[in-house]
Amino acid sequence: MGFFSQKPTPPPPQQAKPDATKPAPPEPPGTGTATMAPPPPPEPKAAPPKRDKMAEERGRKLQELKSEIHRKLVDQLDMTKLASDANDEVRDQVRQIVVALAEEANAPLNFTERKRLVQEILDETFGLGPLESLLADPGISDILINGPQHVYIERSGRLELSDVRFKDNAHLLHVIDKIVSPLGRRCDEVSPMVDARLKDGSRVNAIIPPLAIDGASMSIRRFGADPITWDDYINFKSCAPDMVEFLRACVVSGLNILIVGGTGSGKTTLLNNLSSFIPEDERIVTIEDAAELQLRQPHIVRLETRPPNIEGKGRITIRDLLINALRMRPDRIVVGECRGGETLDMLQAMNTGHEGSMTTVHANSTRDAVQRVETMVMMSGFELPTRAIRQQFASAINVIVQATRLTGGPRKITSVSEVQGMEGDIVTMQDIFKFEQDGVNRDGKAYGRIVATGVRPSFIDRLVAAGAAIDHDWFVARDLVVDD
């Protein structure tokens, strides 16, 4: 009983507090805490929204002023002439007009705001409006637009929300139209999806209402002003020098190469760099949905697909271009990506005298690539047995190069494999080089080692016969690159 008589004594101090400020039991109950906790937090949290509202209000007024000045500029100038003759002299003249119009508006702007206003109007006139500041930043790899108010960017492998905004959905639609119109493409209610490219080769995809519910959406997969080279691959530890020399020998010797990887793993960049090893005296035909490859050889024919017109006719697919390319006497065919029935035609081309051809396929591993190719061959409309498709694959493809985007953003060539042939119904492969992941560091980035497995490919004699310089030390089992 003594313990029971002492238990009531602690509550009185706790009840004294509740009596002073209404019932508020120790901590668990929600009623008392709700009345006591809110008063302190709201006051510090109330200030930021006010500042945000003030910033938003000022931003809105700047947008209105920009629109007003832009309208006056359009009234004074012939915008069609500006689009075709945007040299430095014309830009300077337009800049002077914009500065004069900004001074006429007599808006209370400081020097920085006035300079920014003039630059944004020039971007609207000659470029892609709000996107120009992002496109000028070489550190940004992807630009992802989810409606006019949410523009995300990828920097160093990480996504972040930028402070770039479009005025409204109509403004975003206008920018999309400026991108696709020069390419002879359109994006409207009849054709609400479009693939396009920027002048630097960056890949653009746009989708608008009614398919995009929350406003127009656009993604820009950037190609930097300075294309990534093999030296960059080595400096970034994405591959080893021995791998580069081995791949050079494979390309020069006319081996058929398949590049596999997931979305954003760098397949197109890798294909572009592998194509740089093709001798300059060979005729190359490239086939793409949106022209991205930047080959430097003199004898090259670039082909690009065409979407259907407003009547739903006139569509030219990769398969149509591939069939036509076989009649163009190519030494090599480079297809940007196989994603349908054209895969069968590509395998047949590789098997019928077009050695040294290359293409890419979406797959998470070299083994998955075989299944992906099987599925896409079946999309061609021919009911071929699985064994026949695998035989075609095993005889057409010599080397599979896998590109992977690892945890935290780093991109690496994670395997270079030889396709050996068939054993029963199975396509047999062996890794010549591969990446072995050891873990993830404090920054959330995967790290590991690129190793030579010690396997010598069976096509060594073919490389030697083609005159490729072979170093047998390439195939000695060892660590080639170790991440810090």
Side-chain angles (χ1 to χ4, degrees):
M1 290 294 291
F3 288 107
F4 284 98
S5 64
Q6 284 181 348
K7 282 277 184 190
T9 43
Q14 289 185 348
Q15 280 181 355
K17 286 186 180 178
D19 287 340
T21 56
K22 273 307 189 186
E27 295 238 276
T31 52
T33 328
T35 53
M36 288 187 65
E43 289 178 341
K45 287 185 180 176
K50 284 183 181 178
R51 286 198 294 269
D52 288 344
K53 282 185 178 179
M54 290 174 62
E56 286 177 10
E57 181 65 20
R58 188 161 184 80
R60 186 181 62 79
K61 289 182 178 179
L62 280 173
Q63 283 285 356
E64 290 176 356
L65 178 61
K66 186 169 73 172
S67 300
E68 180 185 346
I69 295 175
H70 193 262
R71 278 195 299 270
K72 292 180 179 178
L73 182 67
V74 171
D75 292 339
Q76 291 188 24
L77 302 173
D78 184 351
M79 303 304 287
T80 56
K81 276 191 176 181
L82 284 182
S84 59
D85 188 25
N87 54 37
D88 292 339
E89 186 179 348
V90 172
R91 283 176 178 268
D92 289 340
Q93 292 176 359
V94 173
R95 180 184 292 273
Q96 292 172 11
I97 296 174
V98 172
V99 169
L101 290 173
E103 289 176 354
E104 283 179 16
N106 200 22
L109 301 175
N110 58 40
F111 176 78
T112 303
E113 289 174 332
R114 188 179 296 273
K115 183 178 178 181
R116 177 183 168 190
L117 177 69
V118 171
Q119 186 58 50
E120 286 183 358
I121 294 173
L122 290 173
D123 288 342
E124 289 288 348
T125 306
F126 295 105
L128 300 178
L131 293 180
E132 287 297 322
S133 61
L134 301 180
L135 294 172
D137 186 345
I140 296 175
S141 56
D142 288 341
I143 302 172
L144 308 173
I145 303 167
N146 305 339
Q149 300 302 315
H150 299 90
V151 180
Y152 289 85
I153 58 175
E154 181 184 279
R155 194 193 302 272
S156 302
R158 296 185 180 276
L159 284 176
E160 58 188 67
L161 181 64
S162 74
D163 58 357
V164 170
R165 301 287 185 274
F166 291 85
K167 181 182 176 184
D168 50 28
N169 201 55
H171 185 198
L172 176 53
L173 290 174
H174 174 68
V175 171
I176 293 174
D177 187 62
K178 289 184 75 171
I179 293 173
V180 303
S181 294
L183 305 176
R185 304 194 175 192
R186 42 200 287 275
C187 192
D188 51 31
E189 289 187 2
V190 179
S191 301
M193 295 186 298
V194 66
D195 284 319
R197 67 180 185 279
L198 300 181
K199 291 179 181 179
D200 64 358
S202 299
R203 185 187 312 170
V204 178
N205 176 271
I207 182 166
I208 67 172
L211 300 186
I213 298 172
D214 299 322
S217 176
M218 179 165 59
S219 61
I220 301 176
R221 309 287 302 280
R222 295 196 61 195
F223 271 32
D226 298 322
I228 293 177
T229 64
W230 286 113
D231 289 338
D232 296 321
Y233 271 88
I234 294 170
N235 293 334
F236 296 151
K237 295 189 175 182
S238 296
C239 71
D242 288 358
M243 294 169 65
V244 176
E245 293 306 316
F246 173 73
L247 291 172
R248 183 198 302 273
C250 292
V251 174
V252 170
S253 303
L255 299 186
N256 294 322
I257 298 177
L258 177 67
I259 300 169
V260 304
T263 299
S265 59
K267 297 187 299 298
T268 304
T269 302
L270 182 54
L271 176 62
N272 199 59
N273 279 284
L274 283 174
S275 301
S276 67
F277 294 144
I278 298 176
E280 293 191 353
D281 59 348
E282 295 189 16
R283 177 176 171 84
I284 309 166
V285 177
T286 67
I287 302 171
E288 303 172 82
D289 271 328
E292 299 172 291
L293 295 175
Q294 300 171 342
L295 275 63
R296 299 175 183 84
Q297 289 85 344
H299 198 167
I300 179 172
V301 179
R302 304 173 70 204
L303 305 179
E304 185 178 47
T305 61
R306 187 179 73 184
N309 59 21
I310 194 169
E311 298 173 352
K313 300 177 181 179
R315 182 184 182 191
I316 305 296
T317 65
I318 283 185
R319 189 172 190 186
D320 297 327
L321 294 175
L322 183 51
I323 292 171
N324 186 76
L326 297 175
R327 307 187 185 103
M328 298 174 65
R329 198 246 171 241
D331 290 311
R332 305 199 189 214
I333 298 175
V334 179
V335 177
E337 182 182 347
C338 284
R339 56 167 68 97
E342 68 274 2
T343 308
L344 175 60
D345 299 286
M346 189 68 191
L347 293 179
Q348 289 181 325
M350 289 176 167
N351 275 319
T352 55
H354 300 286
E355 292 89 358
S357 296
M358 291 179 269
T359 188
T360 71
V361 167
H362 264 82
N364 292 325
S365 68
T366 53
R367 181 57 57 186
D368 289 346
V370 179
Q371 298 173 353
R372 277 278 295 159
V373 168
E374 287 176 18
T375 303
M376 292 187 293
V377 167
M378 292 176 184
M379 293 167 64
S380 65
F382 296 100
E383 296 183 4
L384 297 175
T386 302
R387 180 178 174 81
I389 298 173
R390 291 178 181 175
Q391 285 176 331
Q392 284 266 1
F393 180 92
S395 60
I397 305 297
N398 303 114
V399 178
I400 301 179
V401 183
Q402 182 180 355
T404 305
R405 180 177 178 175
L406 302 172
T407 304
R411 295 174 173 88
K412 290 184 182 289
I413 298 177
T414 51
S415 73
V416 177
S417 307
E418 176 195 9
V419 179
Q420 294 177 298
M422 294 277 293
E423 283 187 9
D425 290 339
I426 305 299
V427 177
T428 58
M429 309 176 194
Q430 59 180 0
D431 291 336
I432 301 169
F433 304 100
K434 67 177 181 179
F435 172 77
E436 296 179 350
Q437 182 171 332
D438 293 328
V440 177
N441 63 20
R442 293 179 180 178
D443 297 329
K445 291 186 177 182
Y447 66 91
R449 297 163 292 118
I450 296 176
V451 303
T453 62
V455 172
R456 291 169 55 88
S458 58
F459 50 70
I460 283 286
D461 292 340
R462 182 171 171 182
L463 301 184
V464 173
I470 304 299
D471 185 348
H472 294 284
D473 289 341
W474 294 343
F475 312 114
V476 176
R478 67 195 191 283
D479 290 348
L480 298 176
V481 174
V482 179
D483 291 331
D484 297 331

